[in-house]
Amino acid sequence: MADVDREIAALKAEVRRLQATIDEELPAIRASLSQPRATMRALLECPHCGGRRVLEAEKVADRTDAGDVPLAVASKGFWVRKPVGALSCWICASCGFAEWYVISPEQLEVDGQTIAEHTIDDADQGPYR
Ligand SMILES: [Zn+2]
């Protein structure tokens, strides 16, 4: 019986220790939940299903009559159009959720037709606009 009492006492102490850890960590966990969501590419974990097997398609082929070209958001050139803003894709192997990335976003030119730019003016977030 004494062994059982010692085991119960040890378990109660462990529960108190775990509760103290939760109480200590909870504010930081709550604060992190209000932060922007990290990407699957950064986490290597699916934000939708929690899957931890993530596939990367470094370049995605766009199959044309002339053959495969990189799938891109725009093209450039007068005689021969070349893809600009080629895409890569990160895919959750469990649920199929996909994140697309432009490999070299600095190559994109804002022309107002194919590519438009939208920004948020942080200085203009007050209630009186
Ligand atoms: Zn998933």
Side-chain angles (χ1 to χ4, degrees), residues 7 71 79 85 89 101 105-106 120:
E7 193 170 333
L71 183 62
W79 297 107
C89 188
Y101 293 91
E106 71 281 356
I120 294 174

Side-chain angles (χ1 to χ4, degrees), residues 35-95:
Q35 298 298 312
R37 185 180 295 172
T39 64
M40 184 163 60
R41 180 173 65 174
L43 293 175
L44 300 180
E45 179 177 308
C46 177
H48 293 279
C49 77
R52 293 184 153 201
R53 188 164 167 256
V54 176
L55 309 175
E56 177 189 8
E58 199 171 311
K59 291 181 179 171
V60 181
D62 186 10
R63 289 165 179 89
T64 68
D65 292 340
D68 289 356
V69 296
L71 183 62
V73 295
S75 60
K76 198 192 268 188
F78 185 75
W79 297 107
V80 177
R81 308 287 297 172
K82 291 187 175 180
V84 177
L87 295 164
S88 68
C89 188
W90 290 71
I91 306 135
C92 172
S94 297
C95 74

Side-chain angles (χ1 to χ4, degrees), residues 11-30:
L11 289 170
K12 284 181 176 178
E14 182 65 10
V15 167
R16 281 192 296 273
R17 189 187 67 76
L18 290 171
Q19 185 62 53
T21 301
I22 290 169
D23 292 344
E24 187 178 305
E25 299 290 332
L26 200 54
I29 292 169
R30 285 196 171 123

